[in-house]
Amino acid sequence: MTDHNMALAQLEAGESPIIEFSDVNKWYGDFHVLKNINFSIKKGERIVVCGPSGSGKSTMTRCINRLEEHQKGSIIVDGIEMNDNLKNIEAIRKDVGMVFQHFNLFPHLTILENLTLAPIWVRKTPKKEAEEMAMHYLERVKIANQAAKYPGQLSGGQQQRVAIARGLCMKPRIMLFDEPTSALDPEMIKEVLDVMIQLAEEGMTMVCVTHEMGFAKTVADRVVFMDAGEIVEANRPHEFFDNPQHDRTQLFLSQILNH
Amino acid sequence: MTKVFQPSPSLPPPVNSVGPVAWVKQNLFSTPANTILTLLSLYIIYLLVVPVINWGIIDATWSGESKAECTAGGACWAFIRVRFDQFMYGRYPIEEYWRVNLSAIMLIVLVGMYAVKAVNKTMLTAGILLVYPVIAYILFAGDVFGLQRVETELWGGLFLTILLGMIGIIASFPLGVLLALGRRSNMPIVKSVCIIFIETVRAVPLITILFMASVMIPLFLPDGLNFNKLLRVLIGITLFSAAYMAEVIRGGLQAIPKGQYEAADAMGLTYWQSMILVILPQALKLVIPGIVNTFIGLFKDTTLVYIVGMFDLLGMIQLASHSPNWLGTTIEGYAFSGFLYWAICFAMSRYSMAVERRLETGHKRN
């Protein structure tokens, strides 16, 4: 049985969720950006979140590690409720990796230093051990020969693969991806998606905001469609793409698939 | 059959577009108007430089015991020569000059050790910032280990100028960083305190602060409690330039993309970790020109201590050019101090450019 199937089996067995949104609401000033989000994600699940821009999909994802604060409702991640308690937030952030649209590598540090920074300072891993681990993950994303360079010397696709490796170095239980391929040249999207697919096959819990519908079809356990701050529809990919329940979903899919 | 794409080879640029002759042609004599401007500028430079050289070198008098002996019509450099030691050390006792010299040599050696690869840079920095000042203070002030006591009132000349400048720079920098971080803090009280401090200090002239430090504060202190004037002035200068430093650094903090803060947060770094490891190294690098600007400004502003009765380099020169033997040598004095200030500030500026180049990591946005 592959890791993927095992994760699915656990999922079916009804394990308690690793991420749970209950009646989550959020406002930017007067703008109601998240409306009554109720959603739970089980361990090992791969979730793809899609929707038009401004639909709140990034905001929802960023609430999981509290880069954004929600004002109403509760978000429980790995058994810890996200509230103002700084210790809770730091504890969760150790276990939740994040990959951003614009990579957000630290330009003043080498690739290797980017990867070892958090393990050394947050996990208190000895430097040598952290470097070995970093090289291991750099090899996995096929970029180990660039370890001594600075981010500014790498292509976008390489930088994004480094960013994924940086997230993995903290041995996270959950990985969040916020439009990881949106800022990339078409030629580089595939190399990043390949890394993400590999990660998915190993059973990582993933929440991925993306417009890569091919990725959603092959990798996702569920696809979530959001519009105007609400979850319109969430379903298994084949159901979602072949038989969308909601007319808003149909409209979105026709626009995104037939361009 | 598919064709194989072969990029064309890169060729060198045409010969007549490189080299010094081409440069002169392109930049100085490209058009008739440009040629006229070039010749006119050369003529103006000639008009300015010749009298300066005549006055400063050809017609100058290099030795003598008073202004009366300077009869050649040019600069009276004898004045600088005779009074040189006072310009360097102020009224520090002559037989104790070695203590100042020794401290200066120690500092130069310590700083020079940064170039040695085998030296632990962290330890060296700690030594320079924590141990060296104690040793230097003992040497300057004396009164222990059989060293003769030298009151701070006697410290002066370039020695005092550099002392004020260096302590001001070293103390105001960390304070400025803290104020800048405080001003961007989410904590309302910390934020307000920092804003009030920065805005108040920036709104007051340095002279006012120096007067406050030297004249007003002693009036409010209870009898018997009195601390050194040099120390009070130093605190004044430090607080003053910390406010400017804070605003320069805040500019750097604001220029760092939000994504950098988010990436640091998302990794679970604490506030101080993310500031020290991620944000400040980038922000400070961005504002090196502004920081050095403030340093240079502070260094030159130390001349204002003359107003409160301390004799730094400029103060000693003023004092000396008013002595009966040397009346009428103000220009030579100012030229000399101007040259020293220029040399020191220019060195700071070049050093900062070297630091910028060293920290360049190919992430330039231009």
Side-chain angles (χ1 to χ4, degrees):
Chain A
M1 206 190 251
T2 64
D3 286 346
H4 187 167
N5 290 341
M6 239 150 70
L8 269 182
Q10 281 172 349
L11 202 146
E12 246 96 74
E15 260 193 26
S16 64
I18 193 165
I19 303 170
E20 188 163 27
F21 283 75
S22 318
D23 290 322
V24 173
N25 280 274
K26 175 173 174 59
W27 289 262
Y28 286 130
D30 286 338
F31 179 58
H32 199 170
V33 60
L34 293 179
K35 299 171 187 162
N36 286 324
I37 303 289
N38 281 292
F39 192 67
S40 60
I41 299 168
K42 298 211 169 83
K43 188 168 178 301
E45 248 193 316
R46 268 72 29 114
I47 305 293
V48 164
V49 186
C50 60
S53 62
S55 60
K57 53 193 192 304
S58 280
T59 308
M60 183 181 84
T61 309
R62 291 154 59 89
C63 280
I64 296 174
N65 63 353
R66 211 170 171 83
L67 285 185
E68 303 283 354
E69 287 174 33
H70 60 284
Q71 284 106 340
K72 256 179 80 179
S74 81
I75 301 174
I76 298 172
V77 182
D78 214 3
I80 298 175
E81 167 144 24
M82 299 306 267
N83 50 27
D84 285 333
N85 186 333
L86 218 61
K87 282 273 162 285
N88 282 355
I89 297 172
E90 277 165 17
I92 282 305
R93 284 175 175 169
K94 276 188 205 175
D95 286 330
V96 179
M98 183 148 195
V99 175
F100 298 86
Q101 181 177 2
H102 295 288
F103 332 132
N104 296 351
L105 296 177
F106 304 134
H108 63 300
L109 300 177
T110 64
I111 300 304
L112 189 66
E113 288 166 342
N114 263 279
L115 266 70
T116 55
L117 184 77
I120 289 174
W121 292 94
V122 180
R123 288 246 189 262
K124 313 289 178 205
T125 314
K127 187 168 180 237
K128 203 160 173 297
E129 203 178 302
E131 282 176 355
E132 281 165 13
M133 186 170 66
M135 289 311 293
H136 165 74
Y137 283 111
L138 283 177
E139 265 156 38
R140 265 187 55 178
V141 300
K142 300 183 181 67
I143 213 160
N145 55 343
Q146 314 276 14
K149 288 194 180 169
Y150 287 96
Q153 298 165 306
L154 267 54
S155 75
Q158 290 173 322
Q159 290 195 44
Q160 194 61 299
R161 283 186 281 151
V162 170
I164 295 173
R166 180 173 72 173
L168 294 176
C169 274
M170 286 293 279
K171 304 211 182 296
R173 294 160 60 80
I174 302 165
M175 281 289 282
L176 308 177
F177 294 84
D178 189 1
E179 306 208 26
T181 57
S182 303
L184 294 177
D185 290 337
E187 279 182 326
M188 296 166 182
I189 290 178
K190 186 174 177 300
E191 64 186 55
V192 171
L193 287 181
D194 285 346
V195 171
M196 290 168 63
I197 290 168
Q198 190 195 352
L199 197 58
E201 282 166 355
E202 286 161 15
M204 175 68 76
T205 309
M206 291 165 69
V207 178
C208 184
V209 178
T210 185
H211 294 121
E212 296 296 329
M213 289 303 131
F215 175 78
K217 277 179 193 163
T218 48
V219 168
D221 294 309
R222 274 188 294 165
V223 182
V224 175
F225 173 66
M226 290 184 71
D227 189 26
E230 290 177 75
I231 293 181
V232 179
E233 191 165 344
N235 219 331
R236 304 236 159 197
H238 58 92
E239 296 277 333
F240 180 84
F241 289 107
D242 300 341
N243 187 18
Q245 301 294 307
H246 215 282
D247 59 344
R248 183 67 190 88
T249 317
Q250 287 168 9
L251 178 67
F252 177 75
L253 284 175
S254 70
Q255 281 167 341
I256 203 163
L257 296 175
N258 303 327
H259 59 205
Chain B
M1 209 187 113
T2 55
K3 290 182 190 165
V4 177
F5 172 67
Q6 201 79 55
S8 321
S10 303
L11 301 172
V15 178
N16 62 2
S17 70
V18 290
V21 177
W23 184 89
V24 167
K25 244 185 195 163
Q26 276 171 16
N27 293 290
L28 300 181
F29 301 104
S30 58
T31 62
N34 194 347
T35 307
I36 292 171
L37 273 177
T38 302
L39 295 175
L40 197 66
S41 310
L42 287 174
Y43 182 61
I44 292 173
I45 292 171
Y46 166 79
L47 285 185
L48 288 173
V49 167
V50 170
V52 169
I53 290 177
N54 278 339
W55 176 81
I57 299 172
I58 297 171
D59 296 338
T61 310
W62 300 87
S63 56
E65 290 306 313
S66 72
K67 170 71 179 169
E69 291 177 37
C70 295
T71 48
C76 185
W77 297 126
F79 168 57
I80 307 296
R81 197 163 167 172
V82 170
R83 295 298 185 110
F84 186 80
D85 280 354
Q86 289 178 19
F87 296 162
M88 293 299 112
Y89 306 96
R91 292 176 292 171
Y92 210 84
I94 296 169
E95 62 279 14
E96 306 294 331
Y97 281 174
W98 65 271
R99 283 151 60 171
V100 177
N101 295 345
L102 179 63
S103 317
I105 291 167
M106 275 169 62
L107 186 62
I108 291 167
V109 169
L110 281 171
V111 171
M113 276 163 72
Y114 277 108
V116 183
K117 275 222 159 62
V119 177
N120 180 334
K121 302 292 185 294
T122 320
M123 292 296 288
L124 183 58
T125 308
I128 290 178
L129 292 181
L130 302 174
V131 182
Y132 175 76
V134 177
I135 299 173
Y137 178 77
I138 291 172
L139 277 170
F140 294 155
D143 213 16
V144 279
F145 306 127
L147 289 170
Q148 186 200 323
R149 182 182 167 88
V150 181
E151 296 290 343
T152 54
E153 278 72 27
L154 300 178
W155 303 9
L158 185 65
F159 160 50
L160 181 66
T161 298
I162 289 182
L163 185 85
L164 289 170
M166 276 195 355
I167 297 181
I169 284 170
I170 290 170
S172 68
F173 179 68
L175 197 57
V177 170
L178 289 179
L179 283 167
L181 291 175
R183 189 165 186 169
R184 283 170 58 80
S185 162
N186 293 326
M187 290 178 276
I189 295 186
V190 172
K191 187 174 174 157
S192 334
V193 168
C194 290
I195 292 180
I196 291 169
F197 176 85
I198 291 170
E199 296 301 337
T200 311
V201 171
R202 276 203 312 171
V204 177
L206 180 57
I207 292 192
T208 317
I209 291 179
L210 292 177
F211 267 127
M212 292 269 288
S214 66
V215 183
M216 302 276 284
I217 291 176
L219 295 181
F220 296 116
L221 288 176
D223 278 345
L225 179 70
N226 192 8
F227 61 102
N228 189 286
K229 182 158 92 178
L230 177 63
L231 184 61
R232 294 196 306 259
V233 163
L234 263 175
I235 292 173
I237 290 176
T238 303
L239 295 181
F240 182 78
S241 70
Y244 283 86
M245 190 63 66
E247 288 299 277
V248 171
I249 292 168
R250 188 167 68 96
L253 292 174
Q254 280 171 346
I256 302 301
K258 206 167 153 243
Q260 294 287 312
Y261 291 88
E262 288 180 347
D265 284 348
M267 289 177 160
L269 293 175
T270 64
Y271 173 80
W272 287 109
Q273 284 174 338
S274 74
M275 287 303 137
I276 293 169
L277 298 169
V278 176
I279 304 300
L280 283 173
Q282 298 183 58
L284 294 178
K285 189 185 104 183
L286 272 179
V287 293
I288 287 174
I291 292 175
V292 175
N293 214 6
T294 314
F295 282 168
I296 289 177
L298 178 149
F299 183 74
K300 291 185 298 181
D301 279 351
T302 58
T303 52
L304 288 173
V305 298
Y306 178 56
I307 304 276
V308 294
M310 297 173 80
F311 293 94
D312 69 326
L313 173 61
L314 202 64
M316 286 311 295
I317 285 173
Q318 294 260 38
L319 198 67
S321 64
H322 286 103
S323 66
N325 268 356
W326 295 106
L327 283 175
T329 51
T330 341
I331 296 176
E332 286 83 350
Y334 284 147
F336 175 66
S337 70
F339 173 76
L340 277 186
Y341 276 105
W342 175 82
I344 293 170
C345 295
F346 185 66
M348 282 202 249
S349 146
R350 300 305 295 188
Y351 177 70
S352 82
M353 285 162 76
V355 170
E356 270 186 272
R357 268 195 303 277
R358 193 159 51 81
L359 295 177
E360 178 57 48
T361 58
H363 206 77
K364 210 176 227 169
R365 280 152 284 204
N366 55 2

